[in-house]
Amino acid sequence: MKKHSARVAPLSSYSTQVLTCPISEGDEGSDSHIETPASEMSGEVTAYQTCVNAALKVIGGLLVVLCVSSSWVGTTQVVQWTFKSFSCPFFISWFSTNWNILFFPLYYSGHVAITREKQTPIQKFRECSRLFGEEGMTLRLFLKRTAPFSILWTLTNYLYVLALRKLTATDVSALYCCHKAFVFLLSWIVLKDRFMGVRIVAAIMAITGIVMMAYADGFHGDSIIGVALAVGSASTSALYKVLFKMFLGSANLGEVAHFFSTMGFFNLIFISCVPLILYFTRVEHWGSLSSLPWGYLCGVAGLWLVFNILVNVGVVLTYPILISIGTLLSVPGNAAIDVLKHEVIFSVVRLAATCIICVGFLLLLLPEEWDTVTLRFLATLADKKSEEHGEELTESSINMRSRSRANGAVSIPLA
């Protein structure tokens, strides 16, 4: 009995080892198997959503570009058609500026339709009036902030319309694109923005294009006057944008809509005396109100309002560079209409001046860090080429060694 007896270990110690370890390991394994596909799926979903959002933003940006260029081309062409029966440029610009009053009501309608916000129009108007300061819009701030911008806005539109009486739509739209160069120069001088050599080159190209455009007809006649008017319109537009950035800073869409409507009210209240003075002095005499071409006038004002809305809304919805490209595309659009509809024949000097201005405009769209980004891209390309060249050398050396061994050659290293 003593020989056949055996010692038995306690069951509890063995069972704890068996029960705890395998179960814990099994649970961790099952959790890992469950979490890994879920994380992979979530990563794929987020990547897919990012790609879809980027694609939608680009597609929306292209649509905005087409709408911006079409509205600006339409505005320019309809102004020239209006001159055939109604040659009063200040009245056209004044009447079109009054339509800016509709900017804020249209913005509020779209805002309510999208967000279902319970704010009344007066509450939203007061909220957006913070652009003028913490106190909101008072009469003093209304006159102080709105008056200079309204005057610059009126001058920009009036000079642009006057230039269309002297030059073709293609020339005026190309010269107006020089405002981008003037904005850079004023921002560099007044706002102390970063100096960029490529933008200085672009500004020089814009000035060269202006001189060539004036030289196209020999510096005399209506051509030089039209060039001066178009350049004046571009200059006042650049001054307006620089002063807006200096005094009002960055503004959201609601604040911009509020500001445009405020300028429309200022134009209606304070600048309405100017068309009356021009009417009674016979400078711009339009006869009776019933004889006015209201269809053309409303067409110009509506297209101008659509252009301003698209420019400001497009900056929020898509990339700002696309809005600038849309403005630039108005030049070939006007050129196509001038050639096909009005049978305009452009000289070589005018075509060269237009191309130089457009190239300078594109150079001004380059970002501030374009040089470092370009150098990094070239460095990566050089590294890739060196790696590929090194791989080719290693492959060729391996092939040479295998061939030498197959032929029975022996390489002796030199000391």
Side-chain angles (χ1 to χ4, degrees), residues 336-354:
I337 295 176
D338 287 340
V339 172
L340 298 176
K341 184 71 177 179
H342 304 290
E343 297 181 355
V344 177
I345 300 175
F346 296 101
S347 62
V348 178
V349 178
R350 288 186 180 274
L351 288 176
T354 303

Side-chain angles (χ1 to χ4, degrees), residues 104 108 112 118-127:
F104 185 80
Y108 180 76
V112 171
K118 300 299 182 180
Q119 284 182 324
T120 62
I122 297 176
Q123 291 175 345
K124 191 65 179 176
F125 189 82
R126 289 177 179 174
E127 179 184 345

Side-chain angles (χ1 to χ4, degrees), residues 6-24:
R7 294 182 180 181
V8 181
L11 184 61
S12 59
S13 62
Y14 179 78
S15 62
T16 53
Q17 294 177 358
V18 173
L19 292 176
T20 56
C21 294
I23 292 174
S24 62

Side-chain angles (χ1 to χ4, degrees), residues 15 17 23 50 72 87 89 127 158 210 226 245 264 287 304 323 333 359-360 365 378 382 393 398:
S15 62
Q17 294 177 358
I23 292 174
T50 304
W72 191 235
S87 181
E127 179 184 345
Y158 178 56
I210 293 171
K245 186 178 180 180
W304 222 322
I323 306 302
V359 171
L365 298 180
L378 294 176
L393 288 177
I398 291 171

Side-chain angles (χ1 to χ4, degrees), residues 205-255:
M205 294 178 68
I207 296 172
T208 304
I210 293 171
V211 175
M212 291 178 64
M213 193 75 72
Y215 175 75
D217 292 333
F219 293 101
H220 66 275
D222 293 340
S223 177
I224 187 66
I225 298 175
V227 171
L229 292 172
V231 174
S233 177
S235 303
T236 53
S237 176
L239 184 60
Y240 169 87
K241 293 180 180 180
V242 173
L243 291 179
F244 187 91
K245 186 178 180 180
M246 179 188 297
F247 292 107
L248 301 178
S250 59
N252 55 31
L253 183 58
E255 293 173 346

